[in-house]
Amino acid sequence: MSDRDSGGGRAMVRHARVEDLGRLVELVAEHAEYEKAAPPAPGLADRLAGLLFGDRGSTGEPHALPRTVAPRLRCLVAELPDGSLAGYATCAPELSTWDGVAYLHMDCLYLTSTARGHGLGPLLVDAVRAEARALGLTEIQWQTPAWNEGAIRFYDRLGATSKEKRRYTLPTDPA
């Protein structure tokens, strides 16, 4: 998909594979901790398998009784020359009522602390841009915590623009 020489070989960004799920869950947990959020609930690998691979699920093979579920989430991983994964970006198409168009929502972009500053962030964003173009979408939207000044500087350097908003969540079943 895309790559960059990291001094010890070529790092690359590629689509996640079923065999990446274990490490991907570890990265998601690190990301949650970094953002001062609760850790992922148990069973995340299975839930992500359905979202990322649809009918193939966590085994990568079609189920005996095929579900009609297509993959809903796209995941790109940053792979170091030694084959280890140092980060990920997830995205999915969404709709804008105000604009009357679809866009690509980048839900997560995370690199381990040791992988930051080596050009992998721009590679991940370029790969997300390529996903948007492949889907015929002309815009990517995302959010980042207001306290994450490093991410804000990174996004500003990319030429992204920001809007002031707060994100709310509401459980569907009141407690």
Side-chain angles (χ1 to χ4, degrees), residues 16-79:
R17 302 178 195 131
V18 171
E19 59 266 29
D20 297 327
L21 282 170
R23 177 62 178 141
L24 182 58
V25 168
E26 291 172 358
L27 289 167
V28 169
E30 288 178 28
H31 188 185
E33 182 179 344
Y34 177 78
E35 290 205 3
K36 303 171 179 80
L44 179 59
D46 289 336
R47 291 190 305 280
L48 284 176
L51 291 170
L52 292 170
F53 307 111
D55 286 344
R56 292 182 298 158
S58 61
T59 65
E61 300 296 324
H63 295 288
L65 299 172
R67 295 177 285 165
T68 57
V69 178
R72 294 186 55 203
L73 184 66
R74 294 159 188 269
C75 181
L76 301 150
V77 294
E79 182 178 324

Side-chain angles (χ1 to χ4, degrees), residues 45-125:
D46 289 336
R47 291 190 305 280
L48 284 176
L51 291 170
L52 292 170
F53 307 111
D55 286 344
R56 292 182 298 158
S58 61
T59 65
E61 300 296 324
H63 295 288
L65 299 172
R67 295 177 285 165
T68 57
V69 178
R72 294 186 55 203
L73 184 66
R74 294 159 188 269
C75 181
L76 301 150
V77 294
E79 182 178 324
L80 299 178
D82 67 3
S84 64
L85 301 184
Y88 71 101
T90 54
C91 53
E94 294 290 345
L95 300 170
S96 169
T97 303
W98 289 358
D99 296 327
V101 296
Y103 64 92
L104 193 64
H105 173 78
M106 183 169 63
D107 184 51
C108 292
L109 174 64
Y110 177 75
L111 287 167
T112 61
S113 60
T114 57
R116 295 179 199 137
H118 299 287
L120 292 173
L123 281 179
L124 279 167
V125 172

Side-chain angles (χ1 to χ4, degrees), residues 127-151:
V128 171
R129 278 183 161 155
E131 289 291 312
R133 283 191 300 272
L135 293 167
L137 305 174
T138 60
E139 185 175 74
I140 302 163
Q141 295 183 20
W142 66 93
Q143 58 197 15
T144 195
W147 56 260
N148 193 344
E149 294 176 7

